[in-house]
Amino acid sequence: MKRHIDNPYKMNWKMYGLIGGISLLIMIVAAIWNDITCSLISDIFKNLGFGCVASTLVALLIEVGNIKEKNEKANSVYDAVYIDLKSQIMWYVKTWARLCGIAYTDKDYYQEEHTWIEWYEIVKIKFAECDDNRQAELMYFFNEQLRLSIEGIEKALKQIDSQQYILNINGIYDEELRGILADYRFEFYAAKFTLERDYDKEHFWRSFDAIKEDLVNYINNWVDIRYYNDYRFKPNDFIDDTTEVMRAMKECEKNNK
């Protein structure tokens, strides 16, 4: 799976190339000079140049090993810290499929596969077809289920905030990612604010229509979960289908070219 920040530690190839190149040049010049003059000084420079090249090669090999080890640690920390938030966002987008499967029994939605955006639209369309009494019941049910999903996301965001020091020292908390997390924090705060107010159904859907549009963009901005927008699943599909994940990842890559 892709990461927004992958292998944050990089080799300074320019520095090692410059040192090695200068050392090699000194060694060549000294060798040519020695052939012409048979000078002891040129022998010294030639040996120094050879020693620098050898030392640079050894240092390079050590640095490659260190960078690999540091990147493995950083990637492990990244995965460990952000996995809960990614799972909670997935749980939220799947909530719309569960709402559809539970609330509407006129059709066997458990046999259908849609993206979360499509499930949202189905829930909204079917809601409009219900009478006022049924809509009142559904509003209560939707509110209850959506709150549970949003609370999980808020807890995951707070957990990330509490680990900023670890993220910073491992180089896996850049400004772009900080902005992405801020977008999620604001969007789900707005969703929770809507659910906590006694709004009518028209206001509820206007609010969640705006949240849906924003969330599509925010999911697309975070490369780790970009495929969520194209991932198709059934209402009771709580475990990622590897084949479908790969298809969704290819689709989102094509859409973002």
Side-chain angles (χ1 to χ4, degrees), residues 149-161:
S149 298
I150 292 168
E151 287 173 2
I153 292 173
E154 289 182 329
K155 289 179 181 178
L157 286 167
K158 288 179 181 178
Q159 183 67 19
I160 292 173
D161 288 340

PDB file of all heavy atoms in Angstrom, residues 149-161:
ATOM      1  N   SER A 149     -19.560   6.442  14.126  1.00  0.00           N
ATOM      2  CA  SER A 149     -18.455   6.473  13.173  1.00  0.00           C
ATOM      3  C   SER A 149     -17.586   7.718  13.368  1.00  0.00           C
ATOM      4  O   SER A 149     -16.355   7.640  13.327  1.00  0.00           O
ATOM      5  CB  SER A 149     -18.998   6.446  11.739  1.00  0.00           C
ATOM      6  OG  SER A 149     -19.721   5.264  11.499  1.00  0.00           O
ATOM      7  N   ILE A 150     -18.229   8.853  13.577  1.00  0.00           N
ATOM      8  CA  ILE A 150     -17.497  10.114  13.726  1.00  0.00           C
ATOM      9  C   ILE A 150     -16.692  10.123  15.020  1.00  0.00           C
ATOM     10  O   ILE A 150     -15.557  10.619  15.057  1.00  0.00           O
ATOM     11  CB  ILE A 150     -18.474  11.299  13.668  1.00  0.00           C
ATOM     12  CG1 ILE A 150     -19.058  11.412  12.256  1.00  0.00           C
ATOM     13  CG2 ILE A 150     -17.790  12.603  14.067  1.00  0.00           C
ATOM     14  CD1 ILE A 150     -20.235  12.349  12.142  1.00  0.00           C
ATOM     15  N   GLU A 151     -17.246   9.573  16.091  1.00  0.00           N
ATOM     16  CA  GLU A 151     -16.508   9.503  17.359  1.00  0.00           C
ATOM     17  C   GLU A 151     -15.222   8.698  17.213  1.00  0.00           C
ATOM     18  O   GLU A 151     -14.183   9.036  17.791  1.00  0.00           O
ATOM     19  CB  GLU A 151     -17.397   8.899  18.447  1.00  0.00           C
ATOM     20  CG  GLU A 151     -18.483   9.845  18.934  1.00  0.00           C
ATOM     21  CD  GLU A 151     -19.453   9.169  19.887  1.00  0.00           C
ATOM     22  OE1 GLU A 151     -19.249   7.963  20.195  1.00  0.00           O
ATOM     23  OE2 GLU A 151     -20.421   9.831  20.326  1.00  0.00           O
ATOM     24  N   GLY A 152     -15.274   7.625  16.419  1.00  0.00           N
ATOM     25  CA  GLY A 152     -14.068   6.825  16.184  1.00  0.00           C
ATOM     26  C   GLY A 152     -13.000   7.623  15.465  1.00  0.00           C
ATOM     27  O   GLY A 152     -11.803   7.523  15.784  1.00  0.00           O
ATOM     28  N   ILE A 153     -13.396   8.438  14.500  1.00  0.00           N
ATOM     29  CA  ILE A 153     -12.440   9.272  13.765  1.00  0.00           C
ATOM     30  C   ILE A 153     -11.842  10.328  14.682  1.00  0.00           C
ATOM     31  O   ILE A 153     -10.629  10.587  14.644  1.00  0.00           O
ATOM     32  CB  ILE A 153     -13.137   9.920  12.555  1.00  0.00           C
ATOM     33  CG1 ILE A 153     -13.490   8.844  11.526  1.00  0.00           C
ATOM     34  CG2 ILE A 153     -12.249  10.998  11.922  1.00  0.00           C
ATOM     35  CD1 ILE A 153     -14.326   9.341  10.369  1.00  0.00           C
ATOM     36  N   GLU A 154     -12.666  10.947  15.504  1.00  0.00           N
ATOM     37  CA  GLU A 154     -12.166  11.981  16.422  1.00  0.00           C
ATOM     38  C   GLU A 154     -11.148  11.396  17.400  1.00  0.00           C
ATOM     39  O   GLU A 154     -10.121  12.031  17.691  1.00  0.00           O
ATOM     40  CB  GLU A 154     -13.333  12.605  17.183  1.00  0.00           C
ATOM     41  CG  GLU A 154     -14.213  13.493  16.318  1.00  0.00           C
ATOM     42  CD  GLU A 154     -15.339  14.144  17.101  1.00  0.00           C
ATOM     43  OE1 GLU A 154     -15.812  13.523  18.077  1.00  0.00           O
ATOM     44  OE2 GLU A 154     -15.740  15.249  16.745  1.00  0.00           O
ATOM     45  N   LYS A 155     -11.399  10.212  17.898  1.00  0.00           N
ATOM     46  CA  LYS A 155     -10.448   9.566  18.806  1.00  0.00           C
ATOM     47  C   LYS A 155      -9.129   9.277  18.099  1.00  0.00           C
ATOM     48  O   LYS A 155      -8.049   9.460  18.673  1.00  0.00           O
ATOM     49  CB  LYS A 155     -11.047   8.268  19.356  1.00  0.00           C
ATOM     50  CG  LYS A 155     -12.169   8.480  20.354  1.00  0.00           C
ATOM     51  CD  LYS A 155     -12.735   7.150  20.839  1.00  0.00           C
ATOM     52  CE  LYS A 155     -13.870   7.360  21.819  1.00  0.00           C
ATOM     53  NZ  LYS A 155     -14.467   6.053  22.277  1.00  0.00           N
ATOM     54  N   ALA A 156      -9.202   8.818  16.849  1.00  0.00           N
ATOM     55  CA  ALA A 156      -7.985   8.524  16.086  1.00  0.00           C
ATOM     56  C   ALA A 156      -7.184   9.795  15.831  1.00  0.00           C
ATOM     57  O   ALA A 156      -5.947   9.782  15.918  1.00  0.00           O
ATOM     58  CB  ALA A 156      -8.356   7.859  14.763  1.00  0.00           C
ATOM     59  N   LEU A 157      -7.860  10.899  15.536  1.00  0.00           N
ATOM     60  CA  LEU A 157      -7.169  12.178  15.312  1.00  0.00           C
ATOM     61  C   LEU A 157      -6.500  12.676  16.595  1.00  0.00           C
ATOM     62  O   LEU A 157      -5.376  13.186  16.559  1.00  0.00           O
ATOM     63  CB  LEU A 157      -8.161  13.220  14.800  1.00  0.00           C
ATOM     64  CG  LEU A 157      -8.605  13.050  13.331  1.00  0.00           C
ATOM     65  CD1 LEU A 157      -9.811  13.929  13.035  1.00  0.00           C
ATOM     66  CD2 LEU A 157      -7.461  13.380  12.382  1.00  0.00           C
ATOM     67  N   LYS A 158      -7.177  12.523  17.716  1.00  0.00           N
ATOM     68  CA  LYS A 158      -6.583  12.931  19.001  1.00  0.00           C
ATOM     69  C   LYS A 158      -5.359  12.079  19.327  1.00  0.00           C
ATOM     70  O   LYS A 158      -4.372  12.576  19.874  1.00  0.00           O
ATOM     71  CB  LYS A 158      -7.627  12.810  20.114  1.00  0.00           C
ATOM     72  CG  LYS A 158      -8.715  13.868  20.050  1.00  0.00           C
ATOM     73  CD  LYS A 158      -9.728  13.678  21.171  1.00  0.00           C
ATOM     74  CE  LYS A 158     -10.832  14.729  21.083  1.00  0.00           C
ATOM     75  NZ  LYS A 158     -11.859  14.534  22.149  1.00  0.00           N
ATOM     76  N   GLN A 159      -5.422  10.800  18.989  1.00  0.00           N
ATOM     77  CA  GLN A 159      -4.291   9.914  19.219  1.00  0.00           C
ATOM     78  C   GLN A 159      -3.086  10.357  18.400  1.00  0.00           C
ATOM     79  O   GLN A 159      -1.947  10.341  18.877  1.00  0.00           O
ATOM     80  CB  GLN A 159      -4.673   8.479  18.880  1.00  0.00           C
ATOM     81  CG  GLN A 159      -3.600   7.447  19.158  1.00  0.00           C
ATOM     82  CD  GLN A 159      -3.307   7.273  20.634  1.00  0.00           C
ATOM     83  OE1 GLN A 159      -4.124   7.661  21.482  1.00  0.00           O
ATOM     84  NE2 GLN A 159      -2.162   6.694  20.969  1.00  0.00           N
ATOM     85  N   ILE A 160      -3.322  10.758  17.159  1.00  0.00           N
ATOM     86  CA  ILE A 160      -2.232  11.256  16.307  1.00  0.00           C
ATOM     87  C   ILE A 160      -1.653  12.539  16.888  1.00  0.00           C
ATOM     88  O   ILE A 160      -0.431  12.723  16.922  1.00  0.00           O
ATOM     89  CB  ILE A 160      -2.739  11.478  14.873  1.00  0.00           C
ATOM     90  CG1 ILE A 160      -3.062  10.132  14.215  1.00  0.00           C
ATOM     91  CG2 ILE A 160      -1.704  12.233  14.039  1.00  0.00           C
ATOM     92  CD1 ILE A 160      -3.718  10.250  12.862  1.00  0.00           C
ATOM     93  N   ASP A 161      -2.527  13.433  17.352  1.00  0.00           N
ATOM     94  CA  ASP A 161      -2.049  14.687  17.951  1.00  0.00           C
ATOM     95  C   ASP A 161      -1.147  14.426  19.145  1.00  0.00           C
ATOM     96  O   ASP A 161      -0.167  15.146  19.370  1.00  0.00           O
ATOM     97  CB  ASP A 161      -3.242  15.544  18.391  1.00  0.00           C
ATOM     98  CG  ASP A 161      -3.992  16.139  17.203  1.00  0.00           C
ATOM     99  OD1 ASP A 161      -3.399  16.206  16.110  1.00  0.00           O
ATOM    100  OD2 ASP A 161      -5.162  16.524  17.371  1.00  0.00           O
TER     101      ASP A 161
END
